[in-house]
Amino acid sequence: MLQFSTTVLLKTKSVLIRDVLCNGDCRHKSDEECAHKTSLVYTYRGVFKRHVGQSEAVSEANQVVFFNRGQDYRISHPVEGGDSCLDLMIDEALLHELAPKEQIQLGEGVVFRRQRRRIDPRAQALVAMLRHGLSRNIAESLEGETLALTLVRRSLGELTSHEAGASFGRQKLVDRAKLVLSSDLARRWTLAEIAKEVGVSPVYLTQVFQQVEAIPLYRYQLRLRLARALDLLGTYDDLTMLGLDLGFSSHSHFSAAFKQTYGQTPAEFQRSAQLKPKRYAVR
């Protein structure tokens, strides 16, 4: 069985958008690879870990991960299930125009200083709109290009994204907590259970997570669940079941949380994205 597959969703002079699926059968670090062009990778399903030297970055639906041109890296899958990502490459002149100077290194080409940034809910919605629209041949090239540039701008904006700043040890602790959450999105985790899994006290965990990610742990989990809902809206005809499958207590709870986060109810998002759902089960 192939480890991964790639589907080109859009290719123009300005952007290249690919849908990359990895089954995650290989759980340990992959052989070293090298990015031939700088890209922004948005995981919309599952989770993976990217290793650059001694640095690590957990990629899940709340993050954008930067693959810099000429940079060696390895990939591992500490959680079962593999991952699915939107891989976005922007014309280098346009990317240089979009990227804030403080986020890139001086020199030839665009090289991001950090491996990742936390994106906001609007960026998550843009990822879903891009993927659904392009994969279903609903969005034309001009719309796809415009949405892609908007997504990049939002992913790099100081007011619409967040760069984690913490010691190596605290970042690793937060990453372990993210992996615990990602291992079972539908589970109604308690703080004590997560803290036990990562080996610290509940108080310390909440303090460090807030410091690193600038949002509470419970809200981070909620955004992971809702991002998974964005992914699955095109495959469910029963939105009550979708909410329950993702761990929400009721349809009203799911719908209210979705609308508060994305500005639309799940049903409204389905209609606006022109999705034609069919029954599907969360895996």
Side-chain angles (χ1 to χ4, degrees):
M1 184 177 181
L2 290 176
Q3 179 73 10
F4 66 92
S5 63
T6 301
T7 303
V8 175
L9 300 181
L10 179 64
K11 184 177 182 180
T12 70
K13 183 178 179 180
S14 300
V15 303
L16 172 62
I17 303 175
R18 304 185 302 165
D19 195 3
V20 182
L21 282 65
C22 182
N23 59 33
D25 286 347
C26 185
R27 303 286 295 279
H28 55 75
K29 290 182 184 178
S30 68
D31 293 335
E32 196 166 69
E33 303 175 59
C34 182
H36 298 294
K37 188 173 181 179
T38 297
S39 66
L40 288 75
V41 173
Y42 300 85
T43 300
Y44 63 83
R45 185 186 305 156
V47 60
F48 70 85
K49 186 180 286 188
R50 180 169 179 263
H51 310 263
V52 178
Q54 298 300 311
S55 176
E56 298 178 348
V58 171
S59 181
E60 30 73 9
N62 284 329
Q63 304 282 334
V64 57
V65 175
F66 305 110
F67 283 65
N68 291 316
R69 183 180 67 176
Q71 188 175 64
D72 295 328
Y73 66 89
R74 298 176 188 269
I75 299 294
S76 64
H77 289 89
V79 175
E80 290 185 358
D83 66 88
S84 300
C85 305
L86 204 68
D87 182 19
L88 182 55
M89 299 182 188
I90 304 292
D91 173 76
E92 194 158 272
L94 296 178
L95 186 56
H96 199 279
E97 186 177 347
L98 289 166
K101 292 182 179 179
E102 61 272 15
Q103 293 183 29
I104 59 176
Q105 298 178 8
L106 295 176
E108 184 179 352
V110 177
V111 176
F112 289 94
R113 295 180 182 275
R114 296 294 185 102
Q115 280 209 66
R116 59 185 164 190
R117 289 184 74 86
R118 177 169 59 76
I119 58 176
D120 71 350
R122 176 58 182 164
Q124 290 178 330
L126 285 168
V127 170
M129 291 172 64
L130 259 177
R131 188 175 69 84
H132 289 310
L134 293 174
S135 64
R136 293 166 180 262
N137 293 318
I138 296 171
E140 296 183 359
S141 296
L142 180 58
E143 181 181 359
E145 289 178 308
T146 303
L147 288 176
L149 295 180
T150 302
L151 173 59
V152 172
R153 187 181 301 110
R154 194 165 192 94
S155 302
L156 303 179
E158 289 299 324
L159 298 179
T160 52
S161 65
H162 171 72
E163 180 179 285
S167 66
F168 178 76
R170 292 191 172 194
Q171 184 65 71
K172 282 187 70 69
L173 170 62
V174 168
D175 282 348
R176 291 202 303 272
K178 292 177 185 178
L179 293 176
V180 171
L181 295 176
S182 298
S183 68
D184 191 349
L185 289 181
R187 179 170 171 175
R188 298 180 184 179
W189 291 96
T190 67
L191 182 58
E193 288 172 339
I194 301 171
K196 182 179 180 180
E197 289 286 335
V198 300
V200 297
S201 75
V203 171
Y204 186 71
L205 175 60
T206 56
Q207 290 175 339
V208 172
F209 200 97
Q210 175 74 44
Q211 178 192 57
V212 173
E213 289 296 338
I215 62 172
L217 178 61
Y218 76 87
R219 188 171 297 166
Y220 201 92
Q221 182 201 30
L222 176 63
R223 290 187 181 178
L224 286 177
R225 283 180 172 174
L226 292 173
R228 184 70 168 119
L230 286 172
D231 170 36
L232 293 172
L233 276 175
T235 53
Y236 265 83
D237 59 356
D238 186 343
L239 295 182
T240 296
M241 186 59 66
L242 173 58
L244 294 176
D245 284 348
L246 288 172
F248 291 92
S249 60
S250 65
H251 175 69
S252 61
H253 178 206
F254 170 48
S255 185
F258 193 99
K259 184 170 184 177
Q260 184 179 28
T261 302
Y262 300 122
Q264 294 178 304
T265 66
E268 289 169 342
F269 190 93
Q270 274 188 336
R271 290 193 293 271
S272 66
Q274 301 181 53
L275 301 178
K276 296 179 180 180
K278 57 184 178 182
R279 189 170 296 280
Y280 185 83
V282 174
R283 295 180 180 178

